Amino acid sequence: MPEEWPIAAPAADGNGPARPAGRGRLATVRRDFFLHPAERLTEQERALMTAMLNCLVSDVADAVRAALPSGRIAANDEGDATLVTALSAAGLLDEPGLMALLLRRADEERIATAARARSGRREARVLQGLVSHDYGAVAAAAMALILGRGRRRDRFGQCLIAFDDLPDSSAEHLVHAVAAGMRRELATGRGVPAADQELTAASDSVLDGHDPERSVESLTAALVHFLDEGDSLTDELVLAAAHEGEVAFVAGVLARRGGIASDSAMDELLSGDAAHVMALLRVAGASRQLSAGLLGGIGDLLGIADAGEAIGLFDRMTDGEVEAARSWLVTAAGYRTALGRLGQGRG
């Protein structure tokens, strides 16, 4: 795969809109110019996250329209594009949970694509093989996960985000933002009070159908649970999955073994910080062989350039340091975020 996807094409046809010049955008340019290169989105990440966001907003808009009295607002692609533009301009799509999920999916896709390219396989086989597992609960959970992932691909194989993948707070924010974006169109000819009532009822109906238990994260956690219950959660299975780029599955295993939340494990695994990744492995009680295998297989894809130095960190961690890391990881994510905003780290 090329390292960067081509920049999206409106500018390629020579008829793109003129870019504003002068000092009017100086504040934005200054922020953008001094961003650290390692923290910037690549064109590949930007394209993927944009496509996922547009499709998600379109899906939510369709759900709100379907919940309105019949025929109130007709669905069309142009209307969805206008809605995305309006919500983006108002900053309503810049919601922390939503953006974190978009970035996480982009990271997962990048790692999976690179790992499979190394192995020469177009599809993951390890988790698919669990569909024929002797323990029925494992087989059912594996099938549910595979079907769930399949529904999160468009006809071109593009990665998507489902509404159920959103945290509750993000789902509520997005539905209300989309409904607000429809108010002007619905109010035309009907009046604002009637539009507000209908959109409120439609939003409540859509949110009643939101079920985080159907999210990919929950389906992955269920598979890990039943594998552990059936004594099938072996290091060999974890390594084989890792070599296929199944980072969500690996994070779920480490979370279960370490007694921490899967989101916390995923954040540490994708942190790009060798000390954090090694601390996660030690908290999860991972063997040195498993840790070295993960580093050798996908360490560079996780942002760890020197596997030898990382395994040295693993070896040198004291029991006290492991317990300190565990204590940090079992705290609430919101608490850790607040500490970060205050400039206070993990101690």
Side-chain angles (χ1 to χ4, degrees), residues 65-157:
R65 292 187 190 102
L68 289 169
S70 178
R72 288 288 190 262
I73 301 179
N76 63 81
D77 292 340
E78 183 178 347
D80 287 344
T82 302
L83 178 62
V84 170
T85 300
L87 296 181
S88 297
L92 287 170
L93 298 181
D94 186 10
E95 195 276 330
L98 171 59
M99 295 307 298
L101 182 58
L102 289 170
L103 181 58
R104 173 175 174 171
R105 286 288 188 270
D107 281 334
E108 291 176 2
E109 190 75 358
R110 170 183 59 82
I111 293 169
T113 300
R116 291 168 193 167
R118 289 177 180 177
S119 67
R121 297 175 180 175
R122 297 184 61 184
E123 297 180 352
R125 299 180 182 178
V126 172
L127 298 189
Q128 288 180 349
L130 296 176
V131 172
S132 59
H133 198 278
D134 292 338
Y135 185 25
V138 169
M143 179 59 75
L145 177 57
I146 290 168
L147 291 175
R149 286 179 168 183
R151 286 191 289 269
R152 287 159 176 84
R153 297 278 173 183
D154 65 15
R155 62 184 181 277
F156 303 111

Side-chain angles (χ1 to χ4, degrees), residues 9 11 29 63 82 90 101 116 128 140 256 258 282 284 288 304 322 331 341:
V29 168
T82 302
L101 182 58
R116 291 168 193 167
Q128 288 180 349
R256 184 169 182 83
R282 287 294 302 271
R288 190 179 192 279
I304 301 176
V322 173
T331 59
R341 294 283 296 273

Side-chain angles (χ1 to χ4, degrees), residues 20-334:
R23 298 176 62 87
R25 61 190 182 116
L26 182 58
T28 302
V29 168
R30 286 172 60 193
R31 289 195 299 270
D32 182 72
F33 187 80
F34 289 104
L35 282 175
H36 193 286
E39 296 177 354
R40 287 176 177 273
L41 289 174
T42 66
E43 292 302 328
Q44 179 177 357
E45 290 170 328
R46 185 182 300 277
L48 178 57
M49 292 173 65
T50 299
M52 288 190 292
L53 179 60
N54 289 346
C55 289
L56 176 61
V57 171
S58 180
D59 288 346
V60 172
D62 286 345
V64 172
R65 292 187 190 102
L68 289 169
S70 178
R72 288 288 190 262
I73 301 179
N76 63 81
D77 292 340
E78 183 178 347
D80 287 344
T82 302
L83 178 62
V84 170
T85 300
L87 296 181
S88 297
L92 287 170
L93 298 181
D94 186 10
E95 195 276 330
L98 171 59
M99 295 307 298
L101 182 58
L102 289 170
L103 181 58
R104 173 175 174 171
R105 286 288 188 270
D107 281 334
E108 291 176 2
E109 190 75 358
R110 170 183 59 82
I111 293 169
T113 300
R116 291 168 193 167
R118 289 177 180 177
S119 67
R121 297 175 180 175
R122 297 184 61 184
E123 297 180 352
R125 299 180 182 178
V126 172
L127 298 189
Q128 288 180 349
L130 296 176
V131 172
S132 59
H133 198 278
D134 292 338
Y135 185 25
V138 169
M143 179 59 75
L145 177 57
I146 290 168
L147 291 175
R149 286 179 168 183
R151 286 191 289 269
R152 287 159 176 84
R153 297 278 173 183
D154 65 15
R155 62 184 181 277
F156 303 111
Q158 172 75 50
C159 181
L160 302 173
I161 290 177
F163 180 55
D164 289 329
D165 293 335
L166 292 171
D168 287 332
S169 58
S170 301
E172 183 175 358
H173 173 91
L174 184 59
V175 169
H176 288 153
V178 167
M182 295 178 171
R183 183 204 205 200
R184 182 169 297 176
E185 182 181 358
L186 185 60
T188 302
R190 294 186 52 74
V192 168
D196 287 343
Q197 290 180 0
E198 290 182 358
L199 286 168
T200 297
S203 298
D204 290 343
S205 176
V206 172
L207 288 170
D208 285 344
H210 179 249
D211 185 2
E213 292 300 313
R214 295 195 296 255
S215 69
V216 167
E217 286 73 20
S218 293
L219 295 174
T220 302
L223 176 58
V224 171
H225 166 80
F226 289 119
L227 281 167
D228 194 23
E229 187 176 80
D231 294 324
S232 299
L233 203 55
T234 63
D235 284 359
E236 291 76 17
L237 176 65
V238 176
L239 271 179
H243 289 172
E244 291 188 347
E246 297 283 0
V247 286
F249 177 77
V250 173
V253 172
L254 297 176
R256 184 169 182 83
R257 290 182 176 179
I260 60 178
S262 58
D263 284 347
S264 296
M266 192 65 162
D267 287 344
E268 295 297 283
L269 195 60
L270 297 178
S271 67
D273 188 313
H276 294 179
V277 176
M278 293 304 101
L280 171 64
L281 290 167
R282 287 294 302 271
V283 167
S287 66
R288 190 179 192 279
Q289 182 179 3
L290 173 59
S291 302
L294 287 173
L295 289 170
I298 59 171
D300 60 324
L301 302 180
L302 297 175
I304 301 176
D306 191 334
E309 165 140 8
I311 203 65
L313 291 172
F314 179 92
D315 292 334
R316 292 193 298 272
M317 283 193 74
T318 66
D319 291 343
E321 289 171 333
V322 173
E323 285 309 308
R326 185 190 309 277
S327 176
W328 170 258
L329 290 174
V330 297
T331 59

